Every structure is written in C-alpha cells, then in structure tokens.
Amino acid sequence: MMHGTTSALYPVIASLDVAAAMMDGPQGEWLVNEAVTEAVRFRQALVRTGRRIAEAGDRLPWFFGVWQPDTVTDPADGTTVAFADASPALLASDPRCWELVPEADWHGFEGLSEGQCLLDPIKVTLTCPGVNARGEADSWGIPARILTAYLAGRGIVVEKTDTYTTLVLFSMGITKGKWGTLMDALMDFKALHDADTPLRQVLPDLVERYPQRYSGTTLRGLCQDMHEHLTRAELIDALDNAFQQLPEPVVPPQACYRQLIRGGTERLPLAQAAGRVAAAMVTVTPPGIPVLMPGEALGALNGPVLRYLCALEAFDRAFPGFHSEAHGVTIDADTGDYLIECVRLGVQMT
C-alpha cells in the first residue's frame, strides 16, 4: 500500500454501482448462470472436436485441450461419464464436478486433500501440445505464446499465457457466437500449423519487425524451435524451483526502499547480481507472484532465482517479439541484458 491513495476514482465507483444494480435480483443470478453455461458448452465442444480429429485418423491427430477433469460422476446414479458427454446442467450446478481430486493425473498437483480445491468453470485454461500435467515434455509441441500472438491478430485477447497454457475468461455477455469465433481461430491455427504455412502469412507483423530472425520460417518450424528451446532450458522446472526454494531475507523491505530513493542502489546484469541483495520486487507473469522481494538475497548464479531469470533472458534473446512479462526487471536496449536493482555494496542498511 506504499503508493496507494485514498482519493476516490469516480468512474470506478460509478461502474461498481451499475454492476451492483445489474446483479440485484433474479437478473443477476441469470447473468451468472448464463456465463457458467456458455463456459461449460465451450469446454465440452473443444474436447469433442479434439476427439473427432483423433477418430478421423488425421495425419497429425492433435488439437488443443482444456485443463479440467477427464470424467465426472453423476450423483443421481453414481455412474461415471466423460466430461464432454456429461449433462451441461450437472456441470453448471454441481461443484463436485470441478474438484481437483487427490492424485488425479489431469491436474498434476501432489499432496491435495479431498475437497481442497475446485476449478472455476468460467476460467478456461486451454492446453497446448508439448507437455503433460506432470511437466513431462513431448518430442514436439506448440508453445502457448505463439498461439496467443496468433489469436491477438484475430482480435481475440486472452487473459494470461504460460509456457503451454492460455487462460480465457467467460464473463457476462459471452455467447456461443463469441466463443465460436475462438473455436474457429483454434481450428484455423491447427490447419496453418499442419500445412507448414510460412510465418509471414500467419504473423506478418512479427516477421516485419524481426526479419533477420523470422524470414523464411514456417509456423510449424517456429513452434518446434521454441518447444526444443524450452525443453533444453527446463524452464518449467526452473520456475517450480524458484517458487519452492524461497530466497533468504537479509534486510527489511523498508530499508531497501530508503536506499532506492536515496541513490543507494544500482542496476546490475544477472551475471553480476549473484550474492547481492535485491532492492526492488521482481514479479514474473504468469504466475504473477513475486519471485523476489526487496531485501532478499539473489543467491548464486546457478541458484533457483537467477537460474530462472537467466532462462527467461535467454528465451527473450532467442525469440524476439515473445518477451516474458517480468515486472521489476529492466531490459538493456542495446544488449538485451536483464538488469536487477540491487543494494550498493558498503551501504549502511538502517
């Protein structure tokens, strides 16, 4: 709350009042139910499309998936059915259909207990080929950043993009016509990929901005090149380690902030930041959680934090135009180096 304000932002207040009025009474329940129902329909339609492609014996029998349970149990008779074949009314009304059941393969989380976590039906996570829920990589894949760039060119803006997943939100007002546009775009992407279409036809703006990197490249070639880079860099493991092995706190954040405004800090490349103390928060999105707080030690160059940031830096160099979203990191315009704000050596921290 250091830079918060008590001043009222009247457009926000007005929009909240309007939203509250819209949700008051039966119409509010109807609007929420409509959003959930459309999200369920999209989820089932996407899985059925993938199933039809696999059954048709396509030369490249792949399609995008959805991060959700493979099956659900009908409480009325105890029968288990595939998620895509379940009753939409059941999926839209029974929270048990959205539970992350302990040790289930589809979600990949370990150590969960019964009833601990549920998915939000309207937050649809699209999964791309290349890695499973356990983090095990395949020989080929389609990194989600490429899909997101293609969707943006079609006027479809997603909420968040991870290495092999993309989050789409079903808010009020999303109809079958609107999510059908997304489905068409996913089908078109598959056709362009399978046809090995030149990248200049798929992402022309990207090729125009970085002709030396992407001229002569095809969509399938870029997907495979990026997938192999991510596999070699073990970026998923690096991210996991960075958030499980917490940095050592050295000084309070307040002391770092005082040095920040008094010139007691300096920006250093990652290679020179080993063993130093961070002076500012570093947050990589996704997941949007700080990987480093002011006053924490950056550790060794091959330690969890710097290894992860170095992997992101190497990715940005290899694939311009698909840069990582890292708040608290400054990118040198000339060298492309990641620069971290660190406390100067010899500064008295009080």
Side-chain angles (χ1 to χ4, degrees):
M1 300 301 295
M2 183 180 298
H3 300 292
T5 175
T6 57
S7 301
L9 182 59
Y10 293 107
V12 172
I13 294 176
S15 66
L16 291 174
D17 288 343
V18 172
M22 291 173 61
M23 301 305 294
D24 187 24
Q27 67 270 20
E29 183 177 353
W30 185 88
L31 288 170
V32 172
N33 288 340
E34 182 187 39
V36 173
T37 299
E38 293 302 331
V40 167
R41 289 173 176 170
F42 172 78
R43 288 171 176 271
Q44 291 188 306
L46 193 138
V47 175
R48 289 169 183 164
T49 300
R51 189 165 59 188
R52 286 196 298 269
I53 291 173
E55 293 173 350
D58 192 358
R59 182 174 62 89
L60 296 173
W62 70 272
F63 196 55
F64 301 99
V66 187
W67 191 64
Q68 62 191 16
D70 299 318
T71 61
V72 297
T73 301
D74 190 337
D77 54 16
T79 58
T80 299
V81 296
F83 186 96
D85 300 327
S87 165
L90 172 65
L91 295 174
S93 61
D94 193 339
R96 288 171 292 184
C97 296
W98 305 95
E99 181 182 351
L100 276 69
V101 177
E103 306 307 322
D105 289 335
W106 69 267
H107 58 69
F109 286 106
E110 298 178 353
L112 296 179
S113 57
E114 293 286 345
Q116 181 177 348
C117 296
L118 299 175
L119 288 184
D120 186 339
I122 68 171
K123 296 177 181 177
V124 182
T125 299
L126 301 178
T127 60
C128 300
V131 68
N132 61 23
R134 300 285 180 180
E136 301 165 342
D138 294 328
S139 59
W140 73 281
I142 298 176
R145 300 191 197 199
I146 301 176
L147 172 63
T148 295
Y150 174 74
L151 293 179
R154 296 277 294 257
I156 301 172
V157 180
V158 303
E159 179 66 17
K160 296 292 181 185
T161 300
D162 205 345
T163 314
Y164 292 94
T165 61
T166 294
L167 177 63
V168 180
L169 299 184
F170 274 69
S171 56
M172 288 176 287
I174 298 297
T175 62
K176 182 178 181 179
K178 291 184 178 180
W179 62 254
T181 302
L182 173 58
M183 183 67 76
D184 290 342
L186 296 176
M187 292 293 295
D188 291 344
F189 185 95
K190 172 179 169 56
L192 292 167
H193 173 275
D194 294 355
D196 208 17
T197 307
L199 195 61
R200 66 177 181 273
Q201 298 179 25
V202 184
L203 299 172
D205 292 342
L206 179 71
V207 177
E208 184 177 350
R209 292 201 310 273
Y210 307 101
Q212 293 184 337
R213 173 63 179 86
Y214 297 115
S215 291
T217 304
T218 65
L219 176 60
R220 193 196 306 176
L222 176 61
C223 289
Q224 188 61 22
D225 189 15
M226 189 179 293
H227 172 69
E228 291 176 356
H229 178 99
L230 292 170
T231 302
R232 289 193 304 270
E234 298 180 332
L235 189 60
I236 296 176
D237 289 338
L239 181 149
D240 191 48
N241 291 334
F243 285 101
Q244 288 200 27
Q245 302 179 37
L246 300 181
E248 177 189 359
V250 179
V251 296
Q254 298 95 324
C256 292
Y257 179 71
R258 284 194 292 269
Q259 296 303 323
L260 185 65
I261 62 177
R262 294 173 182 172
T265 64
E266 57 182 340
R267 290 179 179 173
L268 297 176
L270 298 181
Q272 301 177 24
R276 301 294 292 270
V277 176
M281 180 190 303
V282 176
T283 303
V284 181
T285 304
I289 301 170
V291 69
L292 198 64
M293 289 293 291
E296 291 183 336
L298 279 89
L301 190 59
N302 61 350
V305 173
L306 287 179
R307 175 178 170 243
Y308 176 49
L309 293 177
C310 285
L312 292 179
E313 180 186 58
F315 178 90
D316 289 358
R317 292 180 188 276
F319 300 97
F322 296 96
H323 68 278
S324 307
E325 187 176 351
H327 303 281
V329 172
T330 302
I331 300 179
D332 189 301
D334 296 325
T335 64
D337 290 343
Y338 272 24
L339 306 178
I340 299 291
E341 200 77 36
C342 299
V343 178
R344 290 184 184 275
L345 294 176
V347 168
Q348 185 68 31
M349 301 296 291
T350 57

